[in-house]
C-alpha cells in the first residue's frame, strides 16, 4: 500500500494501487466522545460516542 500523503499518490491511485490513509483516534474525556482526524485528509474531523459509530460514520 502507498500512503496518500506521499508524492505521486494520485498517480498511483489512478493506476489502481491501494492507498493507505492514516487516521488518528482519541477519546475526549470531557465530551465523552471519540474523535478521528487524519494528517492525510486535511479537514477530516469525525466524532461519535462509540468506536463502532465512529467507524460507521467514516465508512
Amino acid at each position: 500500500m502507498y500512503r496518500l500523503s506521499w508524492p505521486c499518490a494520485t498517480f498511483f491511485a489512478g493506476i489502481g494501487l491501494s492507498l493507505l490513509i492514516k487516521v488518528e483516534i482519541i477519546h475526549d474525556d470531557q465530551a465523552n466522545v471519540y474523535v478521528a482526524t487524519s494528517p492525510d485528509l486535511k479537514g477530516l474531523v469525525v466524532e461519535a460516542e462509540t468506536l463502532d459509530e465512529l467507524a460507521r460514520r467514516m465508512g
Side-chain angles (χ1 to χ4, degrees), residues 1 3-5 9 13 19 23 25 29 31 35 37-42 44 49 52-53 57:
M1 291 221 203
R3 281 281 305 270
L4 180 63
S5 61
L19 297 180
V23 176
I25 300 172
D29 292 327
V35 180
T37 59
S38 175
D40 294 334
L41 298 172
K42 301 296 182 206
L44 174 72
E49 292 182 1
D52 288 337
E53 185 181 350
R57 288 184 178 189

Side-chain angles (χ1 to χ4, degrees), residues 11-18:
F11 169 76
F12 288 121
I15 61 171
L17 190 65
S18 296

Side-chain angles (χ1 to χ4, degrees), residues 14-58:
I15 61 171
L17 190 65
S18 296
L19 297 180
L20 178 67
I21 300 171
K22 181 178 180 178
V23 176
E24 299 167 348
I25 300 172
I26 62 164
H27 185 262
D28 182 336
D29 292 327
Q30 274 190 322
N32 196 29
V33 294
Y34 291 93
V35 180
T37 59
S38 175
D40 294 334
L41 298 172
K42 301 296 182 206
L44 174 72
V45 178
V46 179
E47 70 176 44
E49 292 182 1
T50 66
L51 287 173
D52 288 337
E53 185 181 350
L54 188 69
R56 278 193 297 277
R57 288 184 178 189
M58 294 191 59

